[in-house]
Amino acid sequence: MNGLINYVSCGALWLGLVVKAPDLVRHRHDPYLRAICAVLGLAGVCFFLGAEPTVAAVNHLSGVPNLAAPLTYASITAYSAASQVLIVYWRGGPRVHRVTRRWIVAYAFVLLGIAVTFALGDAPVERRTDLDTYYARTPYIGEMIVLYLVGHLAAVSVTSVSALRWAREVRGWLRAGLVVLGCGALCNAGYSVSKLAAVVARWSGRDWSGLSTTVSPASAGLAALMTVVGILIPLVGPRTTRWRRARRDFARLEPLERELDEFLTRRALRLPRPRWSSPVTLLVWRQTSIHNALGSLDAFFDPDLYERTLEAASLKTAGLETIDPRRAEATAWAAVIAAAVVEERDRDSPLLAPAATQRFQDRAPAPGTLADIADALAASPLVAAARVRAGTTPTGTA
């Protein structure tokens, strides 16, 4: 099971990268998207290079006993810089580009320091899991270890403080994402702190290597998961909200579509139902079918019935207690639509509409009232009465 935590963490991070890749392709010049993808990609590289099987493979293929160490440290440093750049772009402001350049330059020097100290140092014995503590007192190699750990700790500390402080100023999905990201950065700080504690203990002759080989990977793995979730929440959350609202509105419109179903089928006005579609697409499909039906039925809308139903729906008891005007309007339209469906169906010449002077002209229900109309169709006795009266009028055949 060696390296399992690393590979699972790497997979989670790269899965997040795959989710964002299509957006990056479409908006490849967006620095914010590039920063998100850089954080996810580099964090995955850190875990991949830090896994024991990968360490062994890199050292074996290169012929350098511990070459995997500076490569892993370099990826951690690059990830630290990308995290800072992401926070800067996320928050925005007039000095975004200047601040990001400073972070990039600062961590470029850290990368250079890692390369130089490893080249100057001597680490002939391969250590796959405990190199930090094993070489903590070795000239130059010890400095390289402290350099990358301090750089990483500084980055995740600033990220955590910035994210949690900003979370107090915003609301909704962005706030949730910032809180999770800030907590993930705190877990990432646990990685650096535990390794630094093990290194300092080594300086004083104690063996705390368990902190470096057990606590640090667990902290980093949890941090990886929280980083992915924190970044994706503000991106996926609004879409989830839209889908939930679309699913709710789709269900609410079902009584209205059912009322119009026979008319839609007979007039071939219904579009084919999309398969394997999102709730938003299904909602648009149902709304389009309803609008198609109403557009063909508008010549049968009875203004007198509308006014009578509106007046009746606006009063609960003897004209004393009024109800919601929007609900009353929706009830009136529901009665008009139900009566129009019956009248159109029962006419001797269904395609021949009544005289325009007797009907609404350029009048149709507002799109925002369709869900309320559907509710009234399913519940209002006034609608049922209008449907019955329409079926017994002299123009009908019922």
Side-chain angles (χ1 to χ4, degrees), residues 31 47 75 87 92 160 184 197 201 206 209 229 239 248 258 267 288 317:
F47 284 103
S75 65
I87 289 295
S160 179
R206 297 183 179 87
S209 57
V229 174
R239 182 180 302 176
R248 179 198 61 196
R258 186 172 61 246
R267 293 287 190 93
T288 302
T317 55

Side-chain angles (χ1 to χ4, degrees), residues 253 256 287 290-291 294 326 364-373:
L253 288 174
L256 179 54
Q287 288 172 332
I290 291 172
H291 284 300
L294 296 182
R326 178 173 176 174
T369 65
L370 292 181
D372 294 328
I373 293 172

Side-chain angles (χ1 to χ4, degrees), residues 191-345:
Y191 168 86
S192 301
V193 170
S194 58
K195 279 189 172 290
L196 280 171
V199 168
V200 172
R202 181 65 175 172
W203 290 346
S204 59
R206 297 183 179 87
D207 183 11
W208 290 3
S209 57
L211 288 175
S212 180
T213 58
T214 304
V215 177
S216 290
S219 298
L222 179 60
L225 177 61
M226 298 184 73
T227 297
V228 173
V229 174
I231 289 175
L232 293 182
I233 280 177
L235 304 173
V236 178
R239 182 180 302 176
T240 303
T241 299
R242 287 195 301 271
W243 283 10
R244 186 171 62 249
R245 290 175 179 171
R247 191 177 293 110
R248 179 198 61 196
D249 293 342
F250 179 83
R252 285 186 66 190
L253 288 174
E254 195 274 337
L256 179 54
E257 185 193 19
R258 186 172 61 246
E259 184 75 25
L260 300 169
D261 180 68
E262 181 187 350
F263 178 75
L264 284 165
T265 303
R266 184 157 34 83
R267 293 287 190 93
L269 295 173
R270 187 192 301 280
L271 297 174
R273 180 177 178 132
R275 295 178 179 273
W276 308 105
S277 299
S278 69
V280 175
T281 302
L282 289 174
L283 175 62
V284 172
W285 168 78
R286 178 163 280 180
Q287 288 172 332
T288 302
S289 297
I290 291 172
H291 284 300
N292 288 343
L294 296 182
S296 297
L297 272 176
D298 59 355
F300 295 88
F301 292 164
D302 186 345
D304 293 333
L305 175 60
Y306 177 87
E307 295 298 335
R308 292 195 307 270
T309 309
L310 181 65
E311 181 179 359
S314 297
L315 302 175
K316 280 187 176 180
T317 55
L320 298 177
E321 185 180 356
T322 60
I323 63 172
D324 184 1
R326 178 173 176 174
R327 185 181 304 173
E329 181 184 5
T331 303
W333 271 118
V336 168
I337 292 170
V341 169
V342 173
E343 183 178 353
E344 190 278 338
R345 181 192 63 203

Side-chain angles (χ1 to χ4, degrees), residues 29-92:
H29 299 298
D30 186 342
Y32 169 62
L33 277 175
R34 290 203 301 264
I36 289 178
C37 292
V39 168
L40 294 173
L42 288 170
V45 170
C46 295
F47 284 103
F48 180 77
L49 290 177
E52 184 178 347
T54 306
V55 171
V58 170
N59 293 340
H60 175 72
L61 293 175
S62 66
V64 180
N66 291 294
L67 180 62
L71 293 179
T72 304
Y73 300 162
S75 65
I76 291 174
T77 301
Y79 160 76
S80 302
S83 299
Q84 290 304 305
V85 171
L86 172 61
I87 289 295
V88 173
Y89 276 123
W90 209 345
R91 184 149 198 174

Side-chain angles (χ1 to χ4, degrees), residues 12-32:
L13 289 159
W14 283 352
L15 179 61
L17 179 60
V18 169
V19 171
K20 291 309 300 172
D23 292 336
L24 181 63
V25 172
R26 289 192 297 267
H27 309 285
R28 61 178 59 89
H29 299 298
D30 186 342
Y32 169 62

